[in-house]
Protein backbone atom coordinates (compact mmCIF):
# COMPACT_ATOMS: atom_id res chain seq x y z
CA UNK A 1 0.00 0.00 0.00
CA UNK A 2 2.76 2.44 0.92
CA UNK A 3 4.74 1.64 -2.24
CA UNK A 4 1.63 2.13 -4.38
CA UNK A 5 0.97 5.49 -2.75
CA UNK A 6 4.61 6.49 -3.25
CA UNK A 7 4.43 5.62 -6.94
CA UNK A 8 1.15 7.53 -7.27
CA UNK A 9 2.79 10.59 -5.73
CA UNK A 10 5.70 10.40 -8.17
CA UNK A 11 3.29 10.05 -11.10
CA UNK A 12 1.26 13.04 -9.93
CA UNK A 13 4.36 15.15 -9.48
CA UNK A 14 5.48 14.28 -13.03
CA UNK A 15 2.01 15.15 -14.35
CA UNK A 16 2.01 18.50 -12.57
CA UNK A 17 5.52 19.26 -13.85
CA UNK A 18 4.38 18.54 -17.40
CA UNK A 19 1.30 20.76 -16.98
CA UNK A 20 3.36 23.63 -15.62
CA UNK A 21 5.98 23.18 -18.30
CA UNK A 22 3.39 23.25 -21.06
CA UNK A 23 1.42 26.19 -19.67
CA UNK A 24 3.39 28.90 -21.53
CA UNK A 25 2.95 27.06 -24.82
CA UNK A 26 -0.76 26.57 -24.33
CA UNK A 27 -1.10 30.29 -23.61
CA UNK A 28 0.66 31.28 -26.81
CA UNK A 29 3.81 32.54 -25.07
CA UNK A 30 6.65 33.51 -27.35
CA UNK A 31 10.06 32.44 -26.15
CA UNK A 32 12.22 35.13 -27.72
CA UNK A 33 12.07 38.88 -27.57
CA UNK A 34 11.73 40.98 -30.66
CA UNK A 35 14.65 42.11 -32.81
CA UNK A 36 17.19 44.42 -31.16
CA UNK A 37 15.57 44.04 -27.77
CA UNK A 38 12.37 45.90 -28.73
CA UNK A 39 9.10 44.34 -27.58
CA UNK A 40 5.96 45.74 -29.25
CA UNK A 41 2.69 45.00 -27.43
CA UNK A 42 -0.31 45.17 -29.75
CA UNK A 43 -2.97 42.93 -28.10
CA UNK A 44 -4.37 42.74 -24.61
CA UNK A 45 -3.87 38.93 -24.56
CA UNK A 46 -0.17 39.39 -25.35
CA UNK A 47 2.15 37.17 -23.30
CA UNK A 48 5.88 36.99 -23.94
CA UNK A 49 8.61 34.98 -22.29
CA UNK A 50 11.76 37.04 -22.61
CA UNK A 51 15.00 35.24 -23.39
CA UNK A 52 16.79 35.71 -26.72
CA UNK A 53 17.73 39.26 -27.64
CA UNK A 54 17.51 40.47 -24.04
CA UNK A 55 20.75 42.36 -23.43
CA UNK A 56 22.85 41.80 -20.31
CA UNK A 57 25.89 43.23 -18.58
CA UNK A 58 27.99 41.71 -15.78
CA UNK A 59 28.82 44.04 -12.88
CA UNK A 60 31.50 42.14 -10.88
CA UNK A 61 31.59 44.62 -7.99
CA UNK A 62 27.87 45.37 -7.96
CA UNK A 63 28.54 49.10 -7.51
CA UNK A 64 27.27 50.48 -10.84
CA UNK A 65 24.36 52.92 -10.69
CA UNK A 66 21.52 53.19 -13.17
CA UNK A 67 23.21 56.21 -14.77
CA UNK A 68 26.42 54.17 -15.17
CA UNK A 69 24.46 51.35 -16.80
CA UNK A 70 22.56 53.65 -19.15
CA UNK A 71 25.84 55.23 -20.22
CA UNK A 72 27.32 51.74 -20.75
CA UNK A 73 24.28 50.88 -22.86
CA UNK A 74 24.91 53.81 -25.19
CA UNK A 75 28.52 52.60 -25.61
CA UNK A 76 27.32 49.13 -26.64
CA UNK A 77 28.72 47.45 -23.55
CA UNK A 78 25.72 45.11 -23.22
CA UNK A 79 25.79 41.64 -24.79
CA UNK A 80 22.81 39.95 -26.39
CA UNK A 81 21.56 36.80 -24.68
CA UNK A 82 21.27 34.04 -27.29
CA UNK A 83 19.89 31.01 -25.41
CA UNK A 84 16.25 30.04 -24.95
CA UNK A 85 16.32 30.37 -21.15
CA UNK A 86 17.77 33.21 -19.10
CA UNK A 87 20.10 31.29 -16.80
CA UNK A 88 23.47 32.46 -15.44
CA UNK A 89 24.11 29.70 -12.88
CA UNK A 90 25.59 30.39 -9.46
CA UNK A 91 27.52 33.65 -9.33
CA UNK A 92 28.63 36.30 -6.83
CA UNK A 93 28.40 38.94 -9.56
CA UNK A 94 25.56 41.35 -10.24
CA UNK A 95 23.79 41.06 -13.60
CA UNK A 96 21.97 43.85 -15.43
CA UNK A 97 19.34 43.10 -18.08
CA UNK A 98 17.94 45.55 -20.63
CA UNK A 99 15.16 45.61 -23.21
CA UNK A 100 12.64 48.14 -24.57
CA UNK A 101 8.83 47.99 -24.47
CA UNK A 102 6.53 49.84 -26.87
CA UNK A 103 2.80 50.19 -26.17
CA UNK A 104 0.76 49.70 -29.34
CA UNK A 105 -2.41 48.27 -27.77
CA UNK A 106 -5.38 48.67 -30.10
CA UNK A 107 -7.95 47.98 -27.37
CA UNK A 108 -7.71 49.53 -23.96
CA UNK A 109 -9.15 48.76 -20.53
CA UNK A 110 -10.84 51.72 -18.83
CA UNK A 111 -10.32 55.42 -19.42
CA UNK A 112 -6.89 55.84 -17.79
CA UNK A 113 -4.36 57.88 -19.82
CA UNK A 114 -1.80 55.03 -19.55
CA UNK A 115 -1.98 51.25 -19.81
CA UNK A 116 -0.77 48.93 -17.10
CA UNK A 117 1.80 46.19 -17.78
CA UNK A 118 3.45 43.52 -15.64
CA UNK A 119 6.93 42.05 -15.72
CA UNK A 120 7.01 38.81 -13.73
CA UNK A 121 10.07 36.88 -12.58
CA UNK A 122 8.87 33.33 -11.98
CA UNK A 123 11.76 32.29 -9.78
CA UNK A 124 11.00 33.54 -6.26
CA UNK A 125 14.31 32.46 -4.66
CA UNK A 126 16.28 35.41 -6.06
CA UNK A 127 17.69 37.59 -3.27
CA UNK A 128 17.52 41.07 -4.79
CA UNK A 129 15.87 42.13 -8.06
CA UNK A 130 15.69 45.85 -8.82
CA UNK A 131 13.42 47.03 -11.59
CA UNK A 132 13.85 50.32 -13.45
CA UNK A 133 11.43 51.65 -16.07
CA UNK A 134 12.87 54.68 -17.90
CA UNK A 135 10.69 56.66 -20.29
CA UNK A 136 10.30 60.19 -21.58
CA UNK A 137 7.45 62.42 -20.44
CA UNK A 138 6.45 66.07 -20.97
CA UNK A 139 8.32 66.79 -17.74
CA UNK A 140 11.55 65.04 -18.77
CA UNK A 141 12.88 61.53 -18.23
CA UNK A 142 10.96 59.60 -15.58
CA UNK A 143 12.29 56.56 -13.70
CA UNK A 144 10.08 54.04 -11.91
CA UNK A 145 12.13 51.99 -9.45
CA UNK A 146 10.98 48.89 -7.53
CA UNK A 147 12.89 46.31 -5.48
CA UNK A 148 11.77 42.77 -4.65
CA UNK A 149 13.37 39.48 -3.61
CA UNK A 150 13.51 37.07 -0.70
CA UNK A 151 16.12 39.22 1.05
CA UNK A 152 13.28 41.66 1.80
CA UNK A 153 10.13 41.08 3.92
CA UNK A 154 7.30 39.42 2.02
CA UNK A 155 4.76 42.13 2.89
CA UNK A 156 6.77 44.73 0.94
CA UNK A 157 5.60 43.19 -2.33
CA UNK A 158 3.06 45.05 -4.44
CA UNK A 159 1.08 41.82 -4.88
CA UNK A 160 0.86 38.96 -2.39
CA UNK A 161 2.15 36.40 -4.89
CA UNK A 162 4.99 33.92 -4.73
CA UNK A 163 6.48 35.29 -7.97
CA UNK A 164 8.22 38.66 -8.22
CA UNK A 165 5.81 41.00 -10.04
CA UNK A 166 6.76 44.49 -11.22
CA UNK A 167 3.84 46.62 -12.49
CA UNK A 168 4.46 49.70 -14.64
CA UNK A 169 2.40 52.04 -16.80
CA UNK A 170 3.00 53.22 -20.33
CA UNK A 171 0.98 55.68 -22.42
CA UNK A 172 -0.34 54.57 -25.84
CA UNK A 173 2.39 54.85 -28.47
CA UNK A 174 5.12 55.41 -25.86
CA UNK A 175 8.28 53.43 -25.21
CA UNK A 176 10.04 52.53 -21.99
CA UNK A 177 13.52 51.17 -21.47
CA UNK A 178 13.48 48.39 -18.85
CA UNK A 179 16.50 47.55 -16.69
CA UNK A 180 16.76 44.72 -14.15
CA UNK A 181 19.58 44.51 -11.59
CA UNK A 182 19.83 40.97 -10.18
CA UNK A 183 21.93 39.64 -7.31
CA UNK A 184 21.43 36.30 -5.56
CA UNK A 185 23.14 33.57 -3.58
CA UNK A 186 20.89 31.02 -5.27
CA UNK A 187 20.95 30.09 -8.94
CA UNK A 188 20.50 33.10 -11.22
CA UNK A 189 17.53 31.71 -13.12
CA UNK A 190 15.39 34.44 -14.69
CA UNK A 191 12.16 33.24 -16.34
CA UNK A 192 10.79 36.65 -17.36
CA UNK A 193 7.21 37.13 -18.56
CA UNK A 194 5.81 40.39 -19.92
CA UNK A 195 2.02 40.84 -20.03
CA UNK A 196 -0.69 43.50 -20.21
CA UNK A 197 -3.18 43.58 -17.36
CA UNK A 198 -5.79 41.23 -18.85
CA UNK A 199 -3.25 38.56 -19.77
CA UNK A 200 -1.57 38.87 -16.36
CA UNK A 201 -4.82 38.22 -14.48
CA UNK A 202 -5.56 35.19 -16.67
CA UNK A 203 -2.13 33.65 -16.22
CA UNK A 204 -2.21 34.15 -12.43
CA UNK A 205 -5.56 32.35 -12.30
CA UNK A 206 -4.16 29.36 -14.23
CA UNK A 207 -1.01 29.15 -12.11
CA UNK A 208 -2.99 29.35 -8.85
CA UNK A 209 -5.25 26.50 -10.00
CA UNK A 210 -2.26 24.27 -10.79
CA UNK A 211 -0.60 25.05 -7.46
CA UNK A 212 -3.87 24.38 -5.63
CA UNK A 213 -4.31 21.01 -7.34
CA UNK A 214 -0.78 19.92 -6.46
CA UNK A 215 -1.00 21.07 -2.84
CA UNK A 216 -4.45 19.51 -2.41
CA UNK A 217 -3.36 16.12 -3.78
CA UNK A 218 -0.22 16.02 -1.66
CA UNK A 219 -1.99 17.05 1.54
CA UNK A 220 -4.68 14.47 0.86
CA UNK A 221 -1.98 11.81 0.50
CA UNK A 222 -0.51 12.88 3.85
CA UNK A 223 -3.81 12.63 5.71
CA UNK A 224 -4.74 9.33 4.03
CA UNK A 225 -1.54 7.64 5.20
CA UNK A 226 -1.80 9.29 8.60
CA UNK A 227 -5.20 7.66 9.11
CA UNK A 228 -3.75 4.33 7.96
CA UNK A 229 -1.03 4.66 10.57
CA UNK A 230 -3.61 5.42 13.28
CA UNK A 231 -5.35 2.15 12.37
CA UNK A 232 -2.43 -0.25 11.88
CA UNK A 233 0.28 1.52 13.95
CA UNK A 234 3.02 0.48 11.53
CA UNK A 235 5.94 2.89 11.68
CA UNK A 236 6.60 2.84 7.93
CA UNK A 237 3.32 4.71 7.41
CA UNK A 238 4.19 7.57 9.72
CA UNK A 239 7.68 7.79 8.20
CA UNK A 240 6.07 7.96 4.78
CA UNK A 241 3.80 10.78 5.99
CA UNK A 242 6.90 12.61 7.21
CA UNK A 243 8.62 12.18 3.85
CA UNK A 244 5.62 13.49 1.88
CA UNK A 245 5.17 16.43 4.29
CA UNK A 246 8.83 17.48 4.09
CA UNK A 247 8.89 17.05 0.32
CA UNK A 248 5.77 19.22 0.12
CA UNK A 249 7.54 21.93 2.12
CA UNK A 250 10.53 21.67 -0.21
CA UNK A 251 8.35 22.18 -3.30
CA UNK A 252 6.33 24.94 -1.65
CA UNK A 253 9.57 26.72 -0.75
CA UNK A 254 10.92 26.28 -4.27
CA UNK A 255 7.76 27.91 -5.66
CA UNK A 256 7.86 30.71 -3.04
CA UNK A 257 4.65 29.85 -1.19
CA UNK A 258 6.15 29.24 2.26
CA UNK A 259 7.74 32.71 2.50
CA UNK A 260 4.37 34.18 3.44
CA UNK A 261 4.39 32.03 6.63
CA UNK A 262 7.63 33.63 7.89
CA UNK A 263 7.59 37.03 6.11
CA UNK A 264 10.15 38.63 8.44
CA UNK A 265 12.53 35.65 8.76
CA UNK A 266 14.89 36.80 6.01
CA UNK A 267 17.87 34.79 7.25
CA UNK A 268 15.89 31.54 7.30
CA UNK A 269 14.36 32.24 3.90
CA UNK A 270 17.86 32.43 2.43
CA UNK A 271 18.62 28.82 3.43
CA UNK A 272 15.10 27.33 3.65
CA UNK A 273 15.29 25.64 0.24
CA UNK A 274 18.56 23.89 1.21
CA UNK A 275 17.24 22.92 4.65
CA UNK A 276 14.09 21.28 3.27
CA UNK A 277 16.02 19.62 0.43
CA UNK A 278 18.37 17.93 2.89
CA UNK A 279 15.44 17.14 5.21
CA UNK A 280 13.73 15.40 2.28
CA UNK A 281 16.81 13.22 1.76
CA UNK A 282 16.80 12.36 5.48
CA UNK A 283 13.08 11.50 5.45
CA UNK A 284 13.44 9.35 2.32
CA UNK A 285 16.32 7.39 3.89
CA UNK A 286 14.38 6.95 7.13
CA UNK A 287 11.31 5.64 5.31
CA UNK A 288 13.35 3.34 3.05
CA UNK A 289 15.28 1.88 5.98
CA UNK A 290 12.10 1.08 7.90
CA UNK A 291 9.97 -0.12 4.97
CA UNK A 292 12.66 -2.51 3.67
CA UNK A 293 13.40 -3.73 7.21
CA UNK A 294 17.11 -3.43 6.57
CA UNK A 295 18.07 -3.94 10.19
CA UNK A 296 16.80 -7.53 10.03
CA UNK A 297 17.63 -8.40 6.40
CA UNK A 298 20.59 -6.18 5.35
CA UNK A 299 22.54 -5.00 8.43
CA UNK A 300 25.35 -3.58 6.27
CA UNK A 301 22.97 -1.43 4.23
CA UNK A 302 21.20 -0.44 7.45
CA UNK A 303 24.47 0.96 8.83
CA UNK A 304 25.20 2.78 5.57
CA UNK A 305 21.78 4.45 5.55
CA UNK A 306 22.10 5.29 9.25
CA UNK A 307 25.42 6.99 8.54
CA UNK A 308 23.88 8.89 5.65
CA UNK A 309 21.02 10.03 7.89
CA UNK A 310 23.52 11.25 10.48
CA UNK A 311 25.28 13.17 7.71
CA UNK A 312 21.94 14.72 6.68
CA UNK A 313 21.22 15.81 10.26
CA UNK A 314 24.66 17.41 10.50
CA UNK A 315 24.11 19.21 7.19
CA UNK A 316 20.67 20.45 8.32
CA UNK A 317 22.35 22.12 11.28
CA UNK A 318 25.30 23.35 9.21
CA UNK A 319 23.14 25.33 6.75
CA UNK A 320 22.26 27.68 9.61
CA UNK A 321 25.93 28.39 10.29
CA UNK A 322 27.45 28.86 6.83
CA UNK A 323 27.05 31.36 4.00
CA UNK A 324 24.14 30.59 1.63
CA UNK A 325 26.63 29.89 -1.19
CA UNK A 326 28.23 27.17 0.94
CA UNK A 327 24.80 25.93 1.97
CA UNK A 328 24.01 25.43 -1.72
CA UNK A 329 27.21 23.42 -2.23
CA UNK A 330 26.47 21.35 0.88
CA UNK A 331 23.00 20.61 -0.43
CA UNK A 332 24.43 19.44 -3.78
CA UNK A 333 26.85 17.12 -1.98
CA UNK A 334 24.08 15.59 0.13
CA UNK A 335 21.81 15.19 -2.89
CA UNK A 336 24.52 13.41 -4.89
CA UNK A 337 25.17 11.23 -1.88
Amino acid sequence: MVVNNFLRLLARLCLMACCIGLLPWSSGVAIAASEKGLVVIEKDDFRLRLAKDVYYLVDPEGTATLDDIREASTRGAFSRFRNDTLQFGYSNHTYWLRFTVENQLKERIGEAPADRFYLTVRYPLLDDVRFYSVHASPYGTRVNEQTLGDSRPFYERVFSTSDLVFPFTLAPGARAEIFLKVTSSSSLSLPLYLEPERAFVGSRFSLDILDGIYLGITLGLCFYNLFLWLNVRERSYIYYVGFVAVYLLFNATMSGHTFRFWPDAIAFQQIAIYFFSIASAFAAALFGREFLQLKQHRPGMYRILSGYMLLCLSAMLAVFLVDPHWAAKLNIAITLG
Side-chain angles (χ1 to χ4, degrees):
M1 177 69 72
V2 175
V3 173
N4 288 337
N5 288 334
F6 184 72
L7 293 176
R8 290 194 192 101
L9 174 61
L10 290 179
R12 287 163 179 165
L13 292 177
C14 291
L15 178 61
M16 291 301 300
C18 291
C19 291
I20 294 173
L22 291 174
L23 179 62
W25 294 98
S26 63
S27 302
V29 176
I31 299 299
S34 300
E35 185 180 357
K36 297 182 180 179
L38 173 63
V39 180
V40 180
I41 303 178
E42 298 179 328
K43 299 180 180 180
D44 59 6
D45 61 350
F46 176 95
R47 185 175 295 124
L48 179 68
R49 180 175 178 177
L50 297 159
K52 288 182 178 179
D53 295 323
V54 170
Y55 288 78
Y56 72 96
L57 177 68
V58 182
D59 178 12
E61 303 298 328
T63 56
T65 65
L66 177 62
D67 290 336
D68 296 333
I69 294 301
R70 293 184 66 194
E71 193 273 334
S73 176
T74 60
R75 291 188 285 104
F78 276 74
S79 301
R80 188 175 65 182
F81 196 86
R82 299 181 182 275
N83 296 330
D84 291 333
T85 304
L86 278 169
Q87 170 65 259
F88 298 100
Y90 288 89
S91 175
N92 292 321
H93 296 160
T94 296
Y95 282 78
W96 287 83
L97 306 181
R98 179 185 65 80
F99 60 94
T100 304
V101 179
E102 182 176 318
N103 179 10
Q104 291 294 341
L105 286 178
K106 297 179 174 59
E107 296 182 5
R108 306 184 59 211
I109 299 176
E111 300 297 332
D115 296 300
R116 197 171 176 90
F117 301 94
Y118 300 84
L119 181 67
T120 304
V121 183
R122 291 185 184 170
Y123 187 65
L125 300 181
L126 296 171
D127 293 350
D128 189 277
V129 182
R130 302 191 181 189
F131 168 91
Y132 302 92
S133 172
V134 183
H135 63 279
S137 74
Y139 306 100
T141 301
R142 300 186 61 181
V143 178
N144 171 23
E145 178 180 350
Q146 304 171 50
T147 304
L148 297 176
D150 69 359
S151 64
R152 305 174 69 87
F154 185 85
Y155 53 75
E156 289 187 2
R157 301 185 179 188
V158 179
F159 301 103
S160 182
T161 61
S162 57
D163 295 329
L164 308 179
V165 180
F166 300 96
F168 64 98
T169 58
L170 196 58
R175 286 187 179 186
E177 197 171 18
I178 305 298
F179 293 91
L180 283 180
K181 180 183 180 183
V182 185
T183 306
S184 185
S185 59
S186 62
S187 175
L188 286 171
S189 178
L190 291 159
L192 298 179
Y193 290 83
L194 179 64
E195 301 159 301
E197 190 163 39
R198 181 173 294 176
F200 171 77
V201 173
S203 64
R204 292 314 313 175
F205 179 74
S206 300
L207 290 171
D208 289 344
I209 286 179
L210 287 176
D211 287 342
I213 291 174
Y214 166 71
L215 294 174
I217 290 174
T218 311
L219 284 174
L221 194 59
C222 278
F223 285 114
Y224 173 71
N225 285 275
L226 180 61
F227 290 137
L228 287 178
W229 174 76
L230 290 173
N231 285 327
V232 301
R233 296 292 177 174
E234 187 175 331
R235 282 186 298 180
S236 59
Y237 283 101
I238 196 64
Y239 290 161
Y240 179 67
V241 170
F243 164 71
V244 175
V246 174
Y247 192 70
L248 173 62
L249 285 170
F250 166 73
N251 278 288
T253 302
M254 176 69 77
S255 58
H257 291 296
T258 55
F259 192 17
R260 68 187 71 236
F261 296 113
W262 47 77
D264 292 311
I266 305 300
F268 178 68
Q269 176 63 20
Q270 297 297 300
I271 53 90
I273 187 64
Y274 311 124
F275 176 82
F276 289 122
S277 176
I278 298 171
S280 297
F282 173 84
L286 179 62
F287 165 69
R289 190 184 69 173
E290 178 66 24
F291 180 75
L292 298 175
Q293 298 180 1
L294 295 179
K295 189 173 185 179
Q296 293 81 13
H297 303 297
R298 294 290 187 272
M301 183 60 70
Y302 177 86
R303 287 191 291 271
I304 291 174
L305 270 184
S306 297
Y308 178 72
M309 290 166 57
L310 182 61
L311 185 62
C312 288
L313 286 175
S314 301
M316 289 165 63
L317 294 175
V319 296
F320 289 95
L321 305 175
V322 299
D323 182 86
H325 286 285
W326 282 102
K329 296 178 181 178
L330 186 61
N331 173 59
I332 292 173
I334 292 295
T335 303
L336 292 177

